[in-house]
Amino acid sequence: EIVLTQSPATLSLSPGERATLSCRASQSVSSYLAWYQQRPGQAPRLLIYDASNRATGIPARFSGSGSGTDFTLTISSLEPEDFAVYYCQQRSNWPPVFTFGGGTKVEIK
Amino acid sequence: EVQLVESGGGLIQPGGSLRLSCAASGFTVSSNYMSWVRQAPGKGLEWVSVIYSGGSTYYADSVKGRFTITRDNSKNTLYIQMNSLRAEDTAVYYCASVIGSNWFDPWGQGTLVTVSS
């Protein structure tokens, strides 16, 4: 089973700053990785899929990169609504098992 | 607009059963892969189950043999039957469509299941 490890657990930043979040897989997942944002009291929403493709309606300040085992979600300039928890996720080939990372909380400094 | 609305959550005693529903609008449940994901209070996300458009079903080890995912095509609704519930099944349960075979989008608003005596 592939394990996803996210770091840091918490990121304390100010609005306008750049956020860099990391997700490391225990074995290669090629480019099959997604990122989700979850605001307090809300359901998660898809931000990035296939490591670097923005989902519909996601602002350009969100970008994803990486392949293999190391992935990064970058928020170029934090807006107030971006303070939330972010999860990475992958799906193993067979049998299909979906795995999430433990999450990174981006909080206001 | 694509929308998913869960219902059926509540307080249930350990060992009990509960069925959650997820009503879809704006797309056809039977033509898509559909999944359940849960989140224990204050914790991260945990995948529970998926049903493929062809009808194949898969489960996380933590629920295998206790939970069953189904759908009713006539009602355009996804279900999960949860039996032998345990305290550790306490969570908000989200339904989600699976796009590209891999990614969850969109998600419902979730329904809370509390397993406690």
Side-chain angles (χ1 to χ4, degrees), chain B residues 61-111:
Chain B
D61 287 344
S62 58
V63 306
K64 202 172 293 183
R66 300 188 299 123
F67 288 14
T68 303
I69 190 172
T70 60
R71 66 188 181 213
D72 185 328
N73 298 342
S74 66
K75 295 181 179 179
N76 206 30
T77 299
L78 177 73
Y79 301 98
I80 190 155
Q81 176 69 41
M82 305 185 295
N83 299 330
S84 303
L85 282 162
R86 307 165 179 167
E88 54 265 36
D89 295 318
T90 294
V92 174
Y93 285 74
Y94 298 100
C95 68
S97 175
V98 181
I99 61 169
S101 302
N102 298 317
W103 321 126
F104 302 107
D105 184 58
W107 298 60
Q109 86 289 349
T111 187

Side-chain angles (χ1 to χ4, degrees), chain A residues 32-34 36 38 42-46 49-50 87 89-91 94 96-98 100, chain B residues 37 39 43-47 50 52 58 94 98-99 101-105 107-109:
Chain A
Y32 297 115
L33 188 105
Y36 299 83
Q38 187 177 33
Q42 294 187 16
R45 71 164 175 163
L46 179 67
Y49 64 95
D50 291 344
Y87 295 94
Q89 176 254 319
Q90 67 85 34
R91 194 210 83 175
W94 197 262
V97 173
F98 300 79
F100 291 91
Chain B
V37 177
Q39 186 171 35
K43 303 296 184 183
L45 301 169
E46 179 189 19
W47 171 72
V50 66
Y52 284 179
Y58 302 92
Y94 298 100
V98 181
I99 61 169
S101 302
N102 298 317
W103 321 126
F104 302 107
D105 184 58
W107 298 60
Q109 86 289 349

